[in-house]
Amino acid sequence: MAEETMKDFQDQIDRSFRKVNVGDILEGTVIDVSDTGVTLDLMYYTQGTIRIEDLSDDPKFNIHRDIAVGDTVSATVISTDDGNGNILLSKKEANQVLAWDKLKEYLENGEYVDVKVSEAVKAGAVAYLEGIRGFIPASKLDLNFVEEENIPSYVGKTLKVKVITADEQANKLVLSAKEFLRAEDAAKKAEMISNLEVGLVTEGVVESLQNYGAFIGLSNGMSGLCHISQISNQRIAHPSSVLKVGQKVKVKVIAIKDGKLSLSMKALEDVTAKEITEEKIEYTSDGEATTSMADLLKKAGF
């Protein structure tokens, strides 16, 4: 234990006398926060100072909210003497170096990270990641393209994004929220599909009509295709001849493949027709029919 303590003490002595040059990135602990900047303990013979204008590029940055005593900060040496014998540092410059390394890691790993949308701009929105200004295109804000007039509604929202472009030379950072939303949507669909079985009869609403069939929205939020050949026993030229958007229909799930549902209305018609065909006449024990021939002829329209 004594050896470790002596070694730690020697390391501190070595650090306190190490040569510090302009451009070096130093790590220190915040020991004071004021309206004009912060003071760092660098474990050096003198302290480090960072002026408020050298702390962050983020226009939303607030020194008293975003920096606290005890925080560990990395900053670049911009002068070995700030005029008061301290080392003058810039967190912004260090951010530029360290942040791009981190952003490239995010890009390579495909990691999802949280960002807060700070402003709406033409064709997209802005969010800061690792202190770097990032652009989220309107086509990447949500699962579907977001119209320009709706972009301001995203300001203040926290989104899970992926880095899709991190070009340090061009100072270009592009983010996308679409990938996470797509993965989340796929997981929800997989869960909903796991609760469905082939043969299930349920009610749905016609969402759209295509030449090849009708898309039916089910009560659980899923949608399925009722192919034109499965709409009716009658041959039809187009689904619109028997269906309209918004119409409520009963359907049967006839197949589930690759997360897609195949539905049938015709299968229910077949079942109904079979039930009618197989309807039997019941007789009482004394031989009198409960349904007379006259009644049957009457039902048949004779």
Side-chain angles (χ1 to χ4, degrees):
M1 185 70 177
E3 288 182 5
E4 288 182 3
T5 304
M6 196 62 193
K7 185 177 182 300
D8 291 342
F9 183 62
Q10 185 62 49
D11 287 344
Q12 290 180 24
I13 293 173
D14 292 343
R15 285 188 65 184
S16 67
F17 285 100
R18 72 192 184 280
K19 178 71 172 172
V20 171
N21 299 304
V22 172
D24 288 351
I25 294 178
L26 304 181
E27 187 175 85
T29 303
V30 177
I31 56 175
D32 184 63
V33 179
S34 70
D35 292 338
T36 57
V38 300
T39 304
L40 303 181
D41 176 8
L42 301 171
M43 293 186 70
Y44 197 56
Y45 73 86
T46 187
Q47 296 173 337
T49 59
I50 308 176
R51 298 172 301 204
I52 190 169
E53 61 267 26
D54 293 321
L55 279 167
S56 177
D57 281 318
D58 189 343
K60 305 288 186 183
F61 175 80
N62 181 295
I63 191 169
H64 293 291
R65 181 192 64 211
D66 299 325
I67 297 279
V69 171
D71 285 354
T72 300
V73 171
S74 294
T76 301
V77 177
I78 55 178
S79 174
T80 54
D81 189 343
D82 66 351
N84 295 310
N86 298 315
I87 296 173
L88 187 62
L89 304 158
S90 171
K91 186 174 182 294
K92 285 201 305 191
E93 285 194 22
N95 283 349
Q96 292 291 321
V97 176
L98 300 173
W100 283 107
D101 289 342
K102 189 66 178 175
L103 294 172
K104 287 169 188 173
E105 277 184 38
Y106 289 147
L107 178 64
E108 290 168 9
N109 299 337
E111 188 176 341
Y112 293 118
V113 287
D114 289 334
V115 297
K116 190 172 184 178
V117 178
S118 58
E119 63 177 306
V121 293
K122 186 174 177 62
V126 168
Y128 284 81
L129 180 57
E130 300 296 331
I132 303 296
R133 187 179 190 270
F135 176 64
I136 310 175
S139 60
K140 302 291 185 180
L141 269 171
D142 216 319
L143 281 173
N144 300 311
F145 182 86
V146 178
E147 298 297 336
E148 196 154 336
E149 62 268 23
N150 296 325
I151 295 174
S153 67
Y154 286 81
V155 174
K157 287 185 178 181
T158 297
L159 306 177
K160 278 198 179 295
V161 298
K162 258 187 179 180
V163 175
I164 57 175
T165 301
D167 187 340
E168 184 178 1
Q169 298 301 318
N171 196 33
K172 184 179 181 182
L173 174 63
V174 183
L175 310 171
S176 172
K178 194 169 189 173
E179 283 72 13
F180 176 77
L181 294 172
R182 186 181 288 147
E184 190 177 49
D185 187 57
K188 284 180 182 175
K189 283 183 178 176
E191 185 180 357
M192 288 189 288
I193 285 175
S194 69
N195 294 322
L196 294 177
E197 292 182 354
V198 172
L200 174 73
V201 175
T202 185
E203 193 173 73
V205 177
V206 178
E207 291 181 334
S208 67
L209 300 173
Q210 309 296 331
N211 291 334
Y212 51 84
F215 283 97
I216 313 294
L218 307 183
S219 58
N220 67 351
M222 291 290 295
S223 291
L225 174 66
C226 186
H227 191 268
I228 190 168
S229 64
Q230 292 295 324
I231 291 176
S232 173
N233 277 313
Q234 304 290 327
R235 186 164 182 173
I236 57 176
H238 192 276
S240 60
S241 62
V242 293
L243 294 174
K244 60 182 180 180
V245 173
Q247 181 179 341
K248 287 185 178 180
V249 293
K250 268 195 173 181
V251 292
K252 182 178 182 179
V253 178
I254 57 173
I256 302 173
K257 186 178 180 182
D258 299 328
K260 295 179 181 178
L261 303 179
S262 294
L263 308 173
S264 175
M265 293 169 59
K266 181 176 123 177
L268 297 179
E269 287 185 11
D270 291 342
V271 169
T272 304
K274 185 178 179 183
E275 286 175 351
I276 292 172
T277 304
E278 293 181 351
E279 183 178 349
K280 294 181 179 178
I281 300 172
E282 294 182 4
Y283 291 90
T284 60
S285 58
D286 60 3
E288 291 182 1
T290 57
T291 303
S292 68
M293 184 61 72
D295 288 335
L296 290 174
L297 291 173
K298 187 177 180 181
K299 285 181 181 179
F302 291 99

